[in-house]
Amino acid sequence: SDFVKARTGFSIGGVSPLAHAQAGVTLIDRELFRFPEIWAAAGHPNAVFRLAPADLERLCAAPVADVTQAPAP
């Protein structure tokens, strides 16, 4: 949408967690820390980059929060 592009500088499907055009609220879902590595959009719908959840937290300087409900065991 135009709103997402204006706020982040990226099109939907390629919104990177880094380098947004405007500051906004970023939260890192605590559930990501279940995985040794994650993949994030890299500014284009066909581009991603790999990193560890702790690296995402450090690079974004964003708080870790309970964004989703943990899956049932």
Side-chain angles (χ1 to χ4, degrees):
S1 94
D2 293 337
F3 175 82
V4 172
K5 180 78 171 187
R7 295 291 297 197
T8 68
F10 304 109
S11 297
I12 291 177
V15 178
S16 173
L18 308 170
H20 291 177
Q22 296 182 32
V25 176
T26 300
L27 299 173
I28 298 173
D29 191 341
R30 188 176 317 281
E31 288 299 311
L32 290 177
F33 288 84
R34 297 183 300 137
F35 306 104
E37 64 183 28
I38 56 175
W39 293 85
H44 187 275
N46 296 324
V48 294
F49 65 100
R50 179 180 57 186
L51 71 166
D55 293 331
L56 180 65
E57 179 183 13
R58 180 179 52 80
L59 290 169
C60 291
V64 176
D66 292 319
V67 178
T68 61
Q69 186 175 12

